[in-house]
């Protein structure tokens, strides 16, 4: 009798979905979205430590802002959900086109030439593989 009451109590406890993903967002980075996508495609789905090694060794200018964002996402995961860096995986990484800054450069004979400086928004989502999906709330 007592055993069945304990089982019912365990079954009646609420399960809460645990947050396993943390993101870092970089907005208005002065970089072309296509050039950033070339680097992002290389790191999507890889572990945190492997991603840092890849970004340090790649020769592209887009690597440094992406490196800072990955590092920031890991710091967010450490402080918000208390995860270890060895268990982190880049679950989602995307690049969206931002606003473009338009300037006019004067040319000869009274003409002007438009200069468009493109920006992009980069989102890095980091997932912790070691955490359980649900936690028991009493």
């Amino acid at each position: 009798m007592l055993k069945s009451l304990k089982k019912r109590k365990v079954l009646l406890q609420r399960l809460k979905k645990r947050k396993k993903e943390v993101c870092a967002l970089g907005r208005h980075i002065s970089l072309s979205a296509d050039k950033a996508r070339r680097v992002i495609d290389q790191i999507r789905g890889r572990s945190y430590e492997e991603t840092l090694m890849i970004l340090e060794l790649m020769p592209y200018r887009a690597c440094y802002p992406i490196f800072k964002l990955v590092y920031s996402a890991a710091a967010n995961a450490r402080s918000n959900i208390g995860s270890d860096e060895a268990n982190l995986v880049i679950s989602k990484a995307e690049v969206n086109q931002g606003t473009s800054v338009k300037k006019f450069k004067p040319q000869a004979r009274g003409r002007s030439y438009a200069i468009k400086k493109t920006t992009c928004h980069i989102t890095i989502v980091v997932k912790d593989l070691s955490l359980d999906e649900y936690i028991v709330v009493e």
Side-chain angles (χ1 to χ4, degrees):
M1 175 90 175
L2 187 62
K3 228 178 196 184
S4 65
L5 285 175
K6 285 184 180 178
K7 284 183 183 178
R8 281 188 197 164
K9 191 175 182 182
V10 170
L11 290 175
L12 292 176
Q13 288 176 339
R14 291 188 313 151
L15 293 177
K16 183 180 176 186
K17 194 164 187 172
R18 176 179 271 178
K19 187 176 179 183
K20 293 173 66 173
E21 292 185 339
V22 179
C23 73
L25 188 69
R27 297 180 52 105
H28 303 292
I29 298 172
S30 62
L31 186 70
S32 171
D34 293 327
K35 292 176 184 175
R37 258 186 223 111
R38 178 173 55 185
V39 176
I40 287 287
D41 289 339
Q42 299 294 320
I43 66 167
R44 193 177 290 123
R46 297 187 188 260
S47 68
Y48 170 70
E49 284 132 3
E50 187 179 2
T51 299
L52 292 183
M53 283 190 285
I54 289 172
L55 289 174
E56 284 180 11
L57 297 174
M58 285 179 92
Y60 303 119
R61 193 185 120 207
C63 291
Y64 183 67
I66 294 171
F67 179 85
K68 284 171 61 173
L69 276 172
V70 170
Y71 195 77
S72 175
N76 289 345
R78 197 177 326 118
S79 67
N80 292 348
I81 58 176
S83 61
D84 189 28
E85 292 167 349
N87 302 323
L88 295 179
V89 172
I90 310 294
S91 64
K92 189 167 101 173
E94 61 182 25
V95 179
N96 296 322
Q97 197 167 9
T99 58
S100 58
V101 178
K102 295 171 186 145
K103 294 181 179 179
F104 288 102
K105 184 177 179 185
Q107 295 289 330
R109 302 177 73 176
R111 298 189 182 121
S112 63
Y113 177 70
I115 298 172
K116 294 180 187 173
K117 295 196 173 220
T118 59
T119 62
C120 65
H121 307 311
I122 302 173
T123 306
I124 304 285
V125 180
V126 177
K127 185 176 183 179
D128 192 347
L129 297 177
S130 68
L131 294 177
D132 295 330
E133 191 168 347
Y134 291 100
I135 54 174
V136 177
V137 178
E138 294 182 24

